[in-house]
Amino acid sequence: MMNKTKISILATVLASVMSTPFSVSAEESFNTGKNAVNFLSENVRISGNLYLPDNYSANGSFPAIVVITPASGVKEQTAGIYAKKLADKGYVTLAFDHRSYGESGGMPRGMENAPMKVEDIKNAISFIRTVAGVDIERIGELGLCSGAGYSLQTAQMDGRIDSVATVSGFVDFIDYGLSGATQYQNGLSGDKIEQFQTQIQWASEARQRYFETGEVMYVDGIPPKSERLGIFWDRAADYYLNPERGGAVATYSPMRAAMSLDTRYFFNPTEHMELMRGKPFLAIVGTEALSAQFSEVAVERSKKAGGEAELFKVKGAQHFDLYDKHKYVNQAVDKLDSFYRTTLKR
């Protein structure tokens, strides 16, 4: 259950969502830099920020990149940083809030529903292809953290994607639910299968309660450092709960609907990396990132399946350093620019 402070955060976010005017705005004229936009995903309003390069022209032919947030992330955080920096390199970019997060619509709030998020990405692709000046034959994805898994799954299922890159990627969420039970998620020790099944049971009970009463049970996706759950989660809190680093923005809440845990943990696009064949894949990780194994496995499986894949390591960077620390982010962006210049054939 949530405490009063966390309930208040969600109420504030929901009020912002309800007060945001809706329009599908791809047909509008835009200015260079950041433009607030809205579009539909399965009839739910999605709020995004469209970034246009300084040399943008509606009569041009620009490559475009859809930037996918981490789990529970919003467009004002690391996704916005990468979207802006890539726009500065000459791309049209879009960062957006998934359904039930940030300024987007969707109830219940905080649904970390993997198939639903993939549909949101598909609709973001549909939207960006309608922006004047975008070359619809040059569309890329950039997935951050859990957005990596969602972006790879989308690339396997959507013929409009030409290449996909990831940064600090979590890809195999089944393995995350198992190994993460001790290494990342809750600091417990003991049998991994038993812990995994306990989490699925939480989701099942939460689903039943919602069906019977309409009450949404939440879990805290970013526990504070005081809970002593390990170095990975301390680093997560240092970004997401820290206003000085830009993670603790007004529209962000770390609370996730418990009933969506099962859809998240049974999601693994690395099982069919052969379906990525013909679509170049770049995975960027920090050399000190505890999560690097997920990207390493994805790249290895892609290569074994005959795909074009590359692992690029940023020396000295930890998982969350690649979210906002410009010393490391700029290295990642330079590599991304090189990758997209080649794969989107600028």
Side-chain angles (χ1 to χ4, degrees), residues 311-329:
L311 182 71
F312 179 79
K313 296 184 178 182
V314 178
K315 187 175 180 179
Q318 300 166 358
H319 180 99
F320 298 98
D321 290 338
L322 286 167
Y323 279 38
D324 67 317
K325 293 186 178 180
H326 297 294
K327 171 183 176 181
Y328 302 113
V329 171

Side-chain angles (χ1 to χ4, degrees), residues 291-309:
S291 59
Q293 66 189 49
F294 293 100
S295 295
E296 292 167 356
V297 170
V299 168
E300 179 183 359
R301 290 184 179 178
S302 179
K303 288 181 176 180
K304 284 185 177 179
E308 180 184 342

Side-chain angles (χ1 to χ4, degrees), residues 196-206:
F196 182 86
Q197 291 175 338
T198 296
Q199 294 175 91
I200 296 304
Q201 186 63 32
W202 292 343
S204 302
E205 292 172 357

Side-chain angles (χ1 to χ4, degrees), residues 16-76:
S16 173
V17 168
M18 295 304 186
S19 65
T20 303
F22 170 69
S23 65
V24 179
S25 48
E27 307 250 339
E28 297 178 7
S29 60
F30 298 116
N31 300 314
T32 59
K34 184 173 72 174
N35 298 264
V37 297
N38 294 280
F39 57 93
L40 290 176
S41 182
E42 297 185 320
N43 210 36
V44 177
R45 181 184 58 79
I46 299 295
S47 176
N49 285 329
L50 180 72
Y51 293 83
L52 303 179
D54 289 341
N55 64 338
Y56 169 77
S57 167
N59 298 318
S61 182
F62 291 84
I65 301 167
V66 173
V67 183
I68 298 104
T69 65
S72 79
V74 294
K75 61 188 180 299
E76 291 80 12

